[in-house]
Amino acid sequence: MAEIFVAKIAQFADGERRIVTDGKREIGVFHWRGAYYAYENLCLHQGGPACEGLLMHKVEDVIAPDRTWAGQRFSDCEIHFVCPWHGYEYDLKTGECAADRRLKLKRFEVLRRGEDLYVISD
Ligand code: FES
């Protein structure tokens, strides 16, 4: 196992991300609402740089009391990053593919040591 330096915590603002490398492997590290998440930057579709895509809130359907469709809205609690190659969306907090939750990006532990942040790579 190796510890890969990500950033000084003071220089890694909430809402930002970093891409670090461990040999030939890239790892995307996200800072979101006070927590850190790290995944392999390798889309499960065709190997695109999934962690480099747009961040966007999940789009949810709104169902009226009479069970009819009443439009869409952005989720308050679920955020996705979107692979820039073909648009696969991944849940930022779990690494699951939003369209098929059985598919998950490889996750890495994030370690805070003093003022520095690391990911643990196997
Ligand atoms: S490679 Fe990521 S959506 Fe196709």
Side-chain angles (χ1 to χ4, degrees):
M1 296 209 302
E3 295 181 5
I4 312 298
F5 177 75
V6 176
K8 292 282 188 192
I9 289 178
Q11 297 172 349
F12 191 11
D14 209 306
E16 290 187 351
R17 84 190 84 175
R18 298 283 190 276
I19 305 294
V20 299
T21 57
D22 174 27
K24 291 182 177 177
R25 179 162 57 192
E26 292 186 342
I27 300 170
V29 185
F30 297 86
H31 183 189
W32 183 254
R33 294 185 176 169
Y36 299 97
Y37 306 91
Y39 304 103
E40 187 167 16
N41 188 24
L42 187 69
C43 183
L44 298 171
H45 179 220
Q46 291 182 353
C51 297
E52 297 176 36
L54 284 174
L55 285 173
M56 59 178 287
H57 290 263
K58 175 186 175 189
V59 176
E60 300 175 328
D61 287 327
V62 178
I63 306 300
D66 66 357
R67 310 292 298 157
T68 58
W69 184 77
Q72 293 181 313
R73 67 179 174 219
F74 289 110
S75 168
D76 289 334
C77 58
E78 188 170 323
I79 183 93
H80 294 170
F81 52 96
V82 184
C83 179
W85 282 11
H86 315 99
Y88 269 38
E89 294 185 26
Y90 294 95
D91 186 324
L92 180 64
K93 293 179 181 173
T94 65
E96 296 170 344
C97 181
D100 183 347
R101 298 277 174 175
R102 295 171 299 177
L103 302 176
K104 280 184 165 184
L105 293 174
K106 180 174 176 56
R107 185 175 193 147
F108 296 89
E109 184 182 346
V110 180
L111 173 69
R112 179 177 180 161
R113 181 174 291 133
E115 297 305 311
D116 299 332
L117 201 66
Y118 296 85
V119 289
I120 309 299
S121 178
D122 49 16

